[in-house]
Amino acid sequence: MPLARSLSVTSLTGLEDWDDDLDLENSILFEVAWEVANKVGGIYTVIQTKAKITTDEWGENYFLIGPYFEHNVRTQVELIEPPNPAMKRTIDSMNSKGCKVYFGRWLIEGSPYVILIDIGATAWNLDRWKTELWDSCAIGIPWYDREANDAVLFGFLTAWFLGEFAAQCEEKPFILAHFHEWLAGIGLCMCRVRKLPVATIFTTHATLLGRYLCAGSVDFYNNLQSFNVDKEAGDRQIYHRYCMERAAVQCSHVFTTVSQITAIEAEHLLKRKPDMVTPNGLNVKKFSAMHEFQNLHAQSKNRIQEFIRGHFYGHLDFNLDKTLFFFIAGRYEFSNKGADLFLEALARLNYLLRVNHSDITIVTFFIMPARTNNFNVETLKGQAVRKQLWDTSNTVKEKFGKKLYESLLVGNLPDMNKMLDKEDFTMMKRAIFATQRHSFPPVCTHNMIDDSTDAILNTIRRIGLFNSSSDRVKVVFHPEFLSSTSPLLPLDYEEFVRGCHLGVFPSYYEPWGYTPAECTVMGIPSVSTNLSGFGCFMEEHIADPTAYGIYILDRRFRSVDDSCTQLTSFLYSFCQQTRRQRIIQRNRTERLSDLLDWKYLGKYYMYSRHMALAKAFPDNFTYEPHEPTGAQGFRYPRPASVPPSPSLSRHSSPHHSETEEDERYDEEEEAEKDRQNIKNPALATMNNIPEWRKRSKKGSIDASISSNASNASTPTNPSSPSELSSPTSSLIEGRN
């Protein structure tokens, strides 16, 4: 089934002709998610980074609803009294009936209000609410599934809160509730069952069944139309969860998902075509380093090199100046995240580098949290040995410097034979003997609880990447989140990414993909796939992705072996780049940052809310769909310094003419040409703008947005190419 794209869904086109403001003074937005002030996965990043633009739009009328966990509240939330009288009455009323509801500000950029509900305080209602869920929705929840039981408690408490708030408001506002993922979905269902005056949006960031099917080595995308979804969910013992998710999808006024690839998946597995695609963005200002990002890369790279010196002590027979750092990071989903394909490609890359006698060494990091006991003793010893060598060399250096100073002070040239005494040589010899090692450097930095069945370790054993001296590809498996307080690799994730040369994310199932997006805004090239939302989005908006350091791996229309061969060619061609070519590529990658900024991508969420208000309150909001137009979205052009070719080679390796490209490359000039050459969208959308009208006692306020009418219509292209000015970055010579 071809993954045809609708440019009107996710292409960024001009906003200058659109008037998309609504009078939100009498509207209230609640955003409901299990990951509000509770970091579990990627949804936390979505909500946290989006909070600033949402607060700017809704002001004091924006509230987040999440679960109360004391350890999170102590570090992330400032508890305060509700400034809204109706909100205070609502919380007091619920607390008087046995609930525990807390109000405060989430200490993130934008400082949004949060309402945190303690589900444990009302767990005694669980059986009654599960009975009500069965009677009203015919969804039964087994007693042993704690996560599903928590979802029921959270959902009923959320619906209770929204209903109570609507009743406590003297002037009835237009209430809009946006629910994220199945864990919050029961609240949406109960809002509809109880007929609360609430407009609802449901966003799925990944379908439950899709994730399970892909993890089970199923030919997922070629069989989407033929799955018996009820049977598949039942076979995997998630039928009740699947029903919760599907019920929320069917009950919502507006259903959205994060990418086109997931929209196709949702249409077949959840039996409803999404009304809109809402791509995930980032707070680019947080990552922006302007002209300094090359310097930051060099600084972080030096800190990673220090770890390498300790980890590979006794086997440090490779040149760190000719060593490249690759990494993969994310949840430990071996097949879904493409770790299996990556390891196979590394084995082939190792063979190519060896037979071609390359002097390049690759150190690959796997940052995928798993169950561990503690740090590996051998790994800790390596860092201790490195520190001991550093201290020894500093001691000898100080003594040497003092004798040199005294010799020069009396006007004599130093006698080099007397600069170091026997004690110094003895100290240095002992330090050298301490670096002797009779085993290979460890592959894993921790002691795994289930080493014998670990998928990554078993694959490494099969392909034979044991960090031997003959291997040009080294592997470091770090099964824990990175932290600046770690005794092994004292770097935060952001610092670590900046210090690497290439992020590799060959995912088979990736609804969006924050890891390659974070690489992009930090100016680090990355490998993604055409089965990830990020990969499809970048392919659509960049004329030649590889020239910008975005390698799109074809996992949709190629066999596994062919995809592995393509990935190997990407990695090998990257190894062949000169230092200057890597600098040029990083400059180009960093210029794509604006494309991923919430400042532009947040428009999709804005339009989804407008659509939900129109559907829930048709007497106050009007939405008139129109047929989709043939307007084309803008595309980043091929960089000006890249030589033309007969066709755009999206899946080829970067151009490697050391003279032709390098001689004519000028970062400032190329960035300026990019800004001038970005293709403007067709102006045909101007004649197809649906109208939003809000009627009030004083009159009506019209706000127009561009829309695509395919299945409940989807808004068109929320961004202005003229506004997408790329921040230029200085070319820093000699930085790797």
Side-chain angles (χ1 to χ4, degrees):
M1 180 182 60
L3 300 182
R5 297 188 183 88
S6 171
L7 290 176
S8 59
V9 175
T10 58
S11 296
L12 305 180
T13 62
L15 282 176
E16 61 272 13
D17 301 318
W18 300 354
D19 178 15
D20 52 17
D21 292 330
L22 280 181
D23 183 2
L24 301 177
E25 185 177 352
N26 196 34
S27 300
I28 305 288
L29 171 61
F30 293 96
E31 196 155 5
V32 186
W34 186 258
E35 296 195 31
V36 169
N38 176 39
K39 187 171 184 178
V40 178
I43 302 172
Y44 177 90
T45 304
V46 175
I47 296 171
Q48 181 196 41
T49 56
K50 185 172 60 65
K52 176 65 168 60
I53 62 159
T54 311
T55 303
D56 290 344
E57 180 190 358
W58 289 79
E60 299 288 297
N61 292 344
Y62 174 50
F63 302 90
L64 289 156
I65 299 178
Y68 175 87
F69 294 107
E70 186 175 354
H71 62 281
N72 291 330
V73 171
R74 282 200 302 263
T75 57
Q76 298 186 51
V77 178
E78 176 191 8
L79 297 178
I80 60 175
E81 284 294 317
N84 186 317
M87 184 70 66
K88 189 177 189 313
R89 290 194 298 270
T90 300
I91 293 176
D92 290 343
S93 174
M94 291 187 67
N95 288 341
S96 67
K97 297 174 184 176
C99 301
K100 287 186 178 181
V101 183
Y102 301 85
F103 187 89
R105 282 194 181 274
W106 193 1
L107 301 179
I108 59 175
E109 188 173 6
S111 300
Y113 290 130
V114 290
I115 299 151
L116 302 177
I117 303 174
D118 188 347
I119 61 173
T122 51
W124 51 274
N125 279 313
L126 179 60
D127 288 340
R128 179 168 64 87
W129 285 340
K130 286 166 71 172
T131 301
E132 183 178 346
L133 182 63
W134 171 257
D135 292 339
S136 59
C137 304
I139 299 175
I141 309 298
W143 61 270
Y144 56 80
D145 190 342
R146 180 173 179 176
E147 195 171 15
N149 288 329
D150 287 348
V152 171
L153 290 169
F154 182 54
F156 271 83
L157 285 166
T158 300
W160 182 356
F161 178 88
L162 294 174
E164 188 72 28
F165 178 77
Q168 293 290 347
C169 291
E170 296 176 356
E171 296 182 4
K172 302 303 180 184
F174 300 108
I175 300 176
L176 174 61
H178 189 157
F179 298 81
H180 292 268
E181 282 293 294
W182 70 275
L183 283 164
I186 291 298
L188 187 153
C189 296
M190 298 317 299
C191 284
R192 300 305 302 276
V193 167
R194 296 174 180 178
K195 300 181 179 179
L196 300 181
V198 177
T200 58
I201 304 172
F202 183 77
T203 297
T204 180
H205 297 259
T207 69
L208 269 172
L209 186 55
R211 192 179 294 280
Y212 274 84
L213 286 169
C214 288
S217 300
V218 172
D219 187 5
F220 182 65
Y221 293 98
N222 288 323
N223 292 288
L224 268 176
Q225 295 174 318
S226 58
F227 285 124
N228 183 335
V229 291
D230 295 316
K231 179 180 183 302
E232 296 291 348
D235 290 345
R236 288 158 179 78
Q237 299 183 21
I238 58 164
Y239 185 67
H240 56 289
R241 296 188 182 191
Y242 168 74
C243 290
M244 294 163 72
E245 181 181 38
R246 184 167 168 179
V249 168
Q250 300 297 330
C251 288
S252 61
H253 290 102
V254 172
F255 171 43
T256 74
T257 188
V258 296
S259 64
Q260 295 171 6
I261 190 77
T262 313
I264 295 171
E265 171 191 341
E267 183 177 359
H268 289 93
L269 299 186
L270 299 176
K271 307 305 179 184
R272 178 177 175 182
K273 183 176 181 179
D275 300 296
M276 191 178 307
V277 172
T278 52
N280 290 334
L282 282 166
N283 183 359
V284 173
K285 181 181 177 182
K286 169 189 172 184
F287 296 99
S288 176
M290 298 303 287
H291 300 291
E292 287 298 312
F293 83 96
Q294 295 279 12
N295 281 330
L296 293 174
H297 166 72
Q299 293 168 11
S300 296
K301 183 189 69 176
N302 289 338
R303 297 176 67 181
I304 296 175
Q305 286 178 338
E306 283 300 299
F307 166 79
I308 296 299
R309 291 186 177 100
H311 191 78
F312 288 90
Y313 83 92
H315 291 270
L316 200 63
D317 51 2
F318 51 91
N319 187 351
L320 282 177
D321 289 334
K322 294 184 178 180
T323 299
L324 303 179
F325 300 136
F326 296 173
F327 80 98
I328 182 174
R331 286 187 303 273
Y332 196 157
E333 296 179 6
F334 185 64
S335 298
N336 284 356
K337 295 297 182 183
D340 51 350
L341 193 74
F342 187 26
L343 282 167
E344 184 63 37
L346 287 175
R348 299 183 185 187
L349 176 64
N350 186 48
Y351 172 78
L352 286 175
L353 293 175
R354 289 170 62 178
V355 299
N356 289 288
H357 306 290
S358 175
D359 59 354
I360 296 294
T361 301
I362 307 299
V363 177
T364 303
F365 292 89
F366 284 75
I367 312 296
M368 306 182 86
R371 297 177 62 207
T372 64
N373 286 323
N374 213 324
F375 295 112
N376 187 308
V377 173
E378 188 65 22
T379 306
L380 288 172
K381 180 183 176 182
Q383 300 307 313
V385 168
R386 177 192 62 79
K387 188 176 184 302
Q388 181 186 15
L389 283 173
W390 179 258
D391 293 341
T392 300
S393 62
N394 276 337
T395 301
V396 174
K397 181 180 69 174
E398 289 176 2
K399 294 177 67 175
F400 184 95
K402 184 177 180 181
K403 291 180 180 179
L404 177 63
Y405 168 71
E406 291 175 349
S407 177
L408 295 175
L409 197 62
V410 297
N412 296 326
L413 289 175
D415 183 354
M416 300 306 295
N417 293 325
K418 296 181 180 179
M419 296 300 290
L420 297 176
D421 54 29
K422 289 184 178 180
E423 181 183 348
D424 296 327
F425 281 102
T426 300
M427 187 186 306
M428 289 188 291
K429 287 179 181 179
R430 290 181 61 182
I432 292 173
F433 290 157
T435 64
Q436 293 181 357
R437 183 189 242 171
H438 301 292
S439 61
F440 294 145
V443 168
C444 187
T445 59
H446 292 61
N447 294 320
M448 302 291 290
I449 288 180
D450 204 356
D451 181 290
S452 61
T453 60
D454 184 80
I456 289 178
L457 295 180
N458 279 339
T459 304
I460 290 173
R461 295 181 184 112
R462 178 177 60 81
I463 62 181
L465 287 180
F466 298 123
N467 294 339
S468 67
S469 298
S470 60
D471 287 330
R472 304 278 20 100
V473 174
K474 318 289 186 181
V475 177
V476 178
F477 178 24
H478 189 278
E480 192 177 74
F481 286 121
L482 295 171
S483 170
S484 58
T485 60
S486 170
L488 287 184
L489 190 55
L491 287 170
D492 288 331
Y493 178 73
E494 179 183 337
E495 297 174 303
F496 173 78
V497 172
R498 286 194 186 275
C500 289
H501 296 91
L502 182 69
V504 185
F505 314 103
S507 304
Y508 183 74
Y509 185 80
E510 191 68 79
W512 176 247
Y514 258 126
T515 41
E518 289 168 340
C519 285
T520 301
V521 299
M522 287 187 274
I524 303 300
S526 63
V527 177
S528 188
T529 75
N530 58 358
L531 291 181
S532 73
F534 172 84
C536 292
F537 183 83
M538 299 305 275
E539 235 182 356
E540 182 177 343
H541 293 99
I542 306 174
D544 190 4
T546 55
Y548 283 92
I550 308 294
Y551 299 84
I552 310 295
L553 181 67
D554 185 1
R555 295 205 65 179
R556 175 68 182 95
F557 301 108
R558 295 193 183 202
S559 66
V560 174
D561 185 67
D562 288 345
S563 295
C564 187
T565 300
Q566 186 186 24
L567 177 57
T568 306
S569 71
F570 284 165
L571 301 180
Y572 186 66
S573 63
F574 188 86
C575 295
Q576 291 180 304
Q577 287 185 347
T578 64
R579 177 175 296 185
R580 179 172 170 82
Q581 286 172 330
R582 290 196 297 271
I583 293 170
I584 291 172
Q585 191 177 58
R586 281 199 296 273
N587 286 330
R588 291 172 180 162
T589 302
E590 196 270 345
R591 287 210 303 271
L592 300 177
S593 297
D594 282 347
L595 194 60
L596 300 169
D597 198 339
W598 274 123
K599 178 180 177 182
Y600 307 106
L601 299 184
K603 297 291 183 179
Y604 298 115
Y605 279 86
M606 181 188 300
Y607 298 145
S608 68
R609 297 175 196 129
H610 293 180
M611 185 185 296
L613 287 170
K615 289 186 176 183
F617 306 109
D619 293 337
N620 303 92
F621 300 86
T622 303
Y623 177 65
E624 299 177 4
H626 289 260
E627 292 299 321
T629 71
Q632 297 293 311
F634 83 87
R635 295 165 68 85
Y636 269 72
R638 172 182 284 252
S641 64
V642 175
S645 62
S647 62
L648 298 181
S649 55
R650 291 183 179 178
H651 302 297
S652 64
S653 59
H655 183 70
H656 290 297
S657 173
E658 288 83 356
T659 57
E660 183 180 2
E661 179 177 342
D662 292 355
E663 286 178 0
R664 61 181 175 182
Y665 176 78
D666 180 272
E667 165 63 14
E668 299 285 343
E669 180 182 351
E670 183 177 284
E672 181 60 30
K673 287 183 178 179
D674 273 8
R675 286 194 291 270
Q676 294 174 359
N677 294 334
I678 289 176
K679 296 181 180 178
N680 290 321
L683 299 178
T685 53
M686 294 186 61
N687 297 323
N688 293 279
I689 301 176
E691 296 182 355
W692 294 79
R693 298 184 181 90
K694 182 173 182 179
R695 304 182 185 89
S696 63
K697 295 179 181 179
K698 296 180 181 180
S700 64
I701 300 176
D702 294 344
S704 302
I705 65 170
S706 179
S707 169
N708 180 331
S710 175
N711 190 41
S713 58
T714 49
T716 310
N717 315 328
S719 180
S720 170
S722 62
E723 294 173 355
L724 279 172
S725 57
S726 305
T728 57
S729 308
S730 61
L731 178 64
I732 302 198
E733 296 289 350
R735 303 234 180 254
N736 182 357

